[in-house]
Amino acid sequence: MLEVTGLTKNYGQKEVLKGIDLTIEDGEIFGFLGRNGAGKSTFINILTGLAKQTSGTVTFFDGEPLTTNLKKRLGVLPDYSMFYGHLNAIDHLRYFASISGKNISKKHAQDILTKVGLGKDSKLKVEKYSFGMKKKLGFAQAIVHDPDFIFLDEPTSGVDAESAIVLHTLIRDLQKQGKTIFLTSHNLNEMEKLCDRIAILKDGNIAKIGQINALKTAETTETHVQIKHSILTNTVREQLLQVIAPFSKVLVQDVDWLTIQVASEQEIPMLVRAFTGLQIDIFRVEVAQKSLEEIFIDAEK
């Protein structure tokens, strides 16, 4: 769907992007992370045609360069959207759709505005909109022409928690419709919930890329398992510790919890069998993994 090869961008003597290679698959939600100054905005501007790369190539779909006609197949929600204060939301959507070569009815515009949570405010002039409402309108503008590839930059910044849930549901629905989504956000919890894969940009290079679960287990030689169990007598506890000692290490003991370190997740069934073999009831098994925040911090070191 998107192929980036050897992409560089220089501003005078300053190298902002340093040879990025990236492939985004058809129908995935791809997350793009990077601290301020990493080159993230420059990269997105090149992908959406707002800036020109110094070298390298960007192609969409079946190897097509970013032409005017191809741009009509893209949808873009920038971090900050500019609108015409004297127009209402319906008029905005019909205008933006016409720029992409599509004429839509007022009903179609109303339906899209309802999806983003602006159904009751569709006829209100945008000059009266709050920042969060403008963010929703920007989202609607990005999808009004039924694009195949959608860029969403901070889609829920400035909106309330309930509205964020609505937009998350819409993003997943768009993916189910076969849309490919390029998502950026400083909300790491949001990225973890929505994205199939992520890339972390550092100093103009991609420092890490992959599926979130794979990144969580990468570069670690140990797994921590928390087991909630029935209360043990001293005798049973000693028996349990003797059974699991050859392949694990107990880190924390509580009345009805054990935190245990194993070398890999393949040893978790051995733990469960040790408990059940001693007729110890297990109420919960939790495997501790790196959070996306920890992955991001590690990439920035």
Side-chain angles (χ1 to χ4, degrees):
M1 180 58 76
L2 171 64
E3 186 80 29
V4 178
T5 305
L7 192 72
T8 68
K9 178 63 176 179
N10 300 337
Y11 289 105
Q13 299 298 314
K14 182 176 177 57
E15 254 189 320
V16 179
L17 302 177
K18 304 173 183 178
I20 293 179
D21 296 315
L22 178 65
T23 299
I24 297 178
E25 303 296 336
D26 186 18
E28 75 173 328
I29 300 177
F30 188 87
F32 199 66
L33 295 168
R35 65 170 56 182
N36 294 336
K40 182 163 53 76
S41 296
T42 298
F43 183 65
I44 296 171
N45 286 343
I46 292 172
L47 297 186
T48 55
L50 296 177
K52 181 70 175 175
Q53 65 266 36
T54 302
S55 63
T57 60
V58 177
T59 58
F60 288 85
F61 309 116
D62 297 319
E64 300 178 51
L66 192 60
T67 61
T68 300
N69 284 333
L70 185 142
K71 288 180 181 179
K72 295 178 180 180
R73 298 179 64 186
L74 306 181
V76 181
L77 166 64
D79 190 10
Y80 295 96
S81 300
M82 301 296 292
F83 299 107
Y84 302 102
H86 65 286
L87 295 179
N88 64 33
I90 290 178
D91 292 337
H92 268 97
L93 291 195
R94 297 188 74 191
Y95 170 71
F96 284 119
S98 67
I99 292 177
S100 298
K102 292 191 175 184
N103 293 317
I104 64 169
S105 65
K106 290 184 178 180
K107 181 181 182 305
H108 182 62
Q110 178 69 41
D111 289 342
I112 294 176
L113 291 167
T114 299
K115 287 181 180 179
V116 301
L118 287 175
K120 296 180 180 179
D121 302 299
S122 60
K123 297 180 181 179
L124 185 67
K125 288 186 178 181
V126 174
E127 65 184 3
K128 297 181 180 180
Y129 272 22
S130 66
F131 178 84
M133 294 169 71
K134 289 179 180 178
K135 177 66 73 170
K136 296 176 191 177
L137 180 56
F139 199 124
Q141 170 266 317
I143 64 174
V144 66
H145 55 297
D146 194 28
D148 298 305
F149 196 110
I150 305 169
F151 290 90
L152 300 176
D153 190 1
E154 302 287 346
T156 60
S157 67
V159 304
D160 57 77
E162 183 178 355
S163 297
I165 293 172
V166 170
L167 295 180
H168 287 172
T169 301
L170 180 53
I171 290 171
R172 293 190 184 98
D173 289 343
L174 289 167
Q175 183 186 33
K176 290 176 183 177
Q177 295 169 26
K179 311 298 184 184
T180 304
I181 299 169
F182 187 99
L183 175 65
T184 67
S185 176
H186 286 100
N187 185 336
L188 298 184
N189 183 52
E190 176 174 81
M191 299 289 272
E192 191 164 2
K193 285 181 179 179
L194 294 174
C195 297
D196 300 307
R197 290 191 301 143
I198 64 165
I200 300 175
L201 190 70
K202 178 186 177 184
D203 298 331
N205 293 296
I206 292 181
K208 289 189 178 183
I209 185 171
Q211 293 182 340
I212 293 178
N213 284 338
L215 292 174
K216 284 182 175 182
T217 56
E219 301 174 10
T220 182
T221 58
E222 62 186 45
T223 300
H224 291 180
V225 183
Q226 291 183 316
I227 299 178
K228 185 176 183 180
H229 53 76
S230 55
I231 296 179
L232 310 179
T233 65
N234 290 335
T235 300
V236 173
R237 182 180 293 275
E238 289 177 6
Q239 290 174 335
L240 175 65
L241 296 180
Q242 288 176 3
V243 172
I244 67 177
F247 60 90
S248 67
K249 177 183 178 182
V250 175
L251 301 177
V252 180
Q253 295 187 49
D254 206 339
V255 175
D256 56 354
W257 278 95
L258 281 178
T259 301
I260 303 167
Q261 176 184 311
V262 294
S264 69
E265 63 181 13
Q266 282 72 28
E267 294 178 345
I268 296 175
M270 298 171 62
L271 282 176
V272 174
R273 285 194 293 270
F275 277 76
T276 57
L278 292 169
Q279 297 184 342
I280 303 170
D281 294 329
I282 295 177
F283 303 123
R284 191 182 306 167
V285 178
E286 298 179 357
V287 180
Q289 293 181 314
K290 284 185 177 180
S291 66
L292 184 54
E293 181 179 7
E294 289 172 318
I295 295 170
F296 182 74
I297 292 172
D298 288 344
E300 292 293 332
K301 290 179 179 178

